Amino acid sequence: MAWMKQVTSLTLHANNARAVCATSRFVSLVENRLRGVRFIGHAASTPALFENSNDVSPSLATRHPSFSGSTARKSLSTRTQRFDRVFDVLSTALNQARSKKSSLQVRSSDWLYLFDLATNPEQLERASGQFSAFIECRRQFRDQHVTAFVRRCAELRCPQLALTVFSNRPAYRMDLTLPAARQLLYALHEEHKLSDVATLVALYPLYNLPALSSDPISSALLISACLREARASDPGSRYAWTMAATLLPHFEQLLTETPPIPIPIPIEKNRFQENCWMYHAMLSILESLTVLDQDTSRVTEWCEKSGYGLSSKIS
């Protein structure tokens, strides 16, 4: 069918940023998510206000000694107070810089500290409301800021907030990176919301991220979400299966070109996360294909090469 070709073009090749699946209930869900997306070209890279490190004022933690220390040991109330103080100082500095009353006295590292202090989605939403102001002050977010923001959204179980930020670049002006996209994709995958997963995948070409045809981790997460939805009994499940069936042959071919991605034992915290995401996605795909009585030979072969111990996971 024509819409299946559109799905393949969007998710595998990503050559047409306007490609949208126009039919089926499932695709309508994606369109509803994307309807509010407005995207403009990436702003040209501009230098920070302070090229000389000696011209940069001390960070917020230095200027306010009470902000320093291990956040892991802070009580909830203390962290909330410190978040408010850091946020107030940061927003005041941004407002003054935007009105040209003073130079921007904020270090990039202050964003990392603010994300770390956040204890609820509302605080992260407040922080994201200042992203555009930071860019207007001729500063740029680095990859570590994007990753830290997405990671904190995942930790606080609000990945939809990160999806909102990246779906509306004119409002937030934070650019999605591949590591952050994979982490957000996994978080949305764990939320069992296929429409959100599909929306994020549709953003890949808009941020010039690699096509899924060359990214086994993102592909595995998308297909896992589709197959999981296909196993459901609601009417939308058949559309999810159609999409999964369209993507599977390309994915199986990609697996033949992808070296094994083993899981180190023991797994060190905050390391090899992408390996773990691939592991969970592949076992989910294998389980779904088994339940749906589909061929699992290529998926099984790749999993065995990666040492996933299928005998104890999939019956």
Side-chain angles (χ1 to χ4, degrees):
M1 293 184 292
W3 79 270
M4 291 172 59
K5 295 180 181 179
Q6 290 177 314
V7 170
T8 304
S9 175
L10 174 64
T11 57
L12 291 175
H13 305 293
N15 289 327
N16 185 358
R18 297 180 180 178
V20 179
C21 305
T23 59
S24 85
R25 176 178 176 274
F26 166 69
V27 177
S28 295
L29 291 173
V30 180
E31 286 187 316
N32 289 336
R33 288 285 186 176
L34 291 176
R35 189 166 293 131
V37 174
R38 295 168 52 245
F39 189 88
I40 60 176
H42 289 29
S45 177
T46 56
L49 287 180
F50 304 106
E51 298 296 343
N52 188 331
S53 60
N54 294 329
D55 295 332
V56 183
S57 64
S59 67
L60 297 178
T62 303
R63 281 183 277 147
H64 300 273
S66 61
F67 292 171
S68 61
S70 174
T71 58
R73 296 191 293 270
K74 296 182 177 76
S75 66
L76 179 61
S77 60
T78 300
R79 290 185 64 176
T80 298
Q81 293 173 2
R82 294 182 178 179
F83 176 91
D84 290 339
R85 294 176 63 184
V86 172
F87 179 81
D88 289 344
V89 171
L90 187 146
S91 59
T92 298
L94 289 173
N95 290 333
Q96 291 177 345
R98 291 170 67 191
S99 62
K100 302 187 184 302
K101 293 181 179 179
S102 65
S103 299
L104 181 59
Q105 304 295 304
V106 173
R107 277 185 174 177
S108 297
S109 59
D110 293 330
W111 286 107
L112 302 177
Y113 187 60
L114 189 66
F115 296 154
D116 184 57
L117 284 172
T119 58
N120 57 62
E122 290 73 22
Q123 290 176 332
L124 283 179
E125 186 173 7
R126 289 174 60 194
S128 66
Q130 298 295 323
F131 288 173
S132 181
F134 186 67
I135 302 299
E136 290 175 11
C137 293
R138 299 177 57 213
R139 300 290 289 275
Q140 296 292 321
F141 286 112
R142 301 171 184 169
D143 290 356
Q144 62 179 341
H145 297 119
V146 183
T147 301
F149 174 67
V150 170
R151 181 176 62 247
R152 198 65 181 133
C153 285
E155 291 171 349
L156 296 180
R157 299 185 180 278
C158 56
Q160 288 78 14
L161 172 60
L163 183 62
T164 297
V165 167
F166 297 117
S167 295
N168 192 351
R169 187 177 183 279
Y172 297 96
R173 303 175 71 176
M174 175 180 274
D175 290 340
L176 186 62
T177 64
L178 182 58
R182 286 172 171 172
Q183 181 156 27
L184 181 54
L185 193 61
Y186 179 74
L188 294 171
H189 172 275
E190 294 302 290
E191 292 285 327
H192 289 234
K193 293 184 178 180
L194 178 56
S195 59
D196 286 344
V197 171
T199 299
L200 177 57
V201 168
L203 295 177
Y204 271 46
L206 302 182
Y207 284 99
N208 295 319
L209 300 182
L212 294 192
S213 57
S214 62
D215 184 359
I217 296 177
S218 296
S219 294
L221 289 168
L222 172 61
I223 293 174
S224 171
C226 289
L227 289 174
R228 187 172 55 197
E229 183 80 5
R231 293 169 57 183
S233 58
D234 62 86
S237 61
R238 67 186 183 94
Y239 301 112
W241 164 246
T242 301
M243 186 173 183
T246 304
L247 299 173
L248 269 170
H250 302 275
F251 178 63
E252 290 175 342
Q253 177 59 37
L254 177 60
L255 288 180
T256 65
E257 305 166 0
T258 302
I261 304 179
I263 302 296
I265 303 297
I267 299 176
E268 298 181 40
K269 185 178 180 181
N270 296 327
R271 295 191 63 190
F272 308 108
Q273 287 185 320
E274 294 188 348
N275 296 44
C276 295
W277 303 336
M278 186 67 172
Y279 168 77
H280 290 300
M282 291 301 291
L283 291 190
S284 174
I285 290 172
L286 188 54
E287 180 180 13
S288 294
L289 290 176
T290 301
V291 171
L292 295 169
D293 196 25
Q294 300 296 315
D295 178 44
T296 64
S297 57
R298 290 190 177 182
V299 175
T300 299
E301 180 182 2
W302 189 89
C303 288
E304 289 178 342
K305 289 181 179 179
S306 296
Y308 288 172
L310 302 183
S311 60
S312 61
K313 298 295 182 181
I314 304 294
S315 58

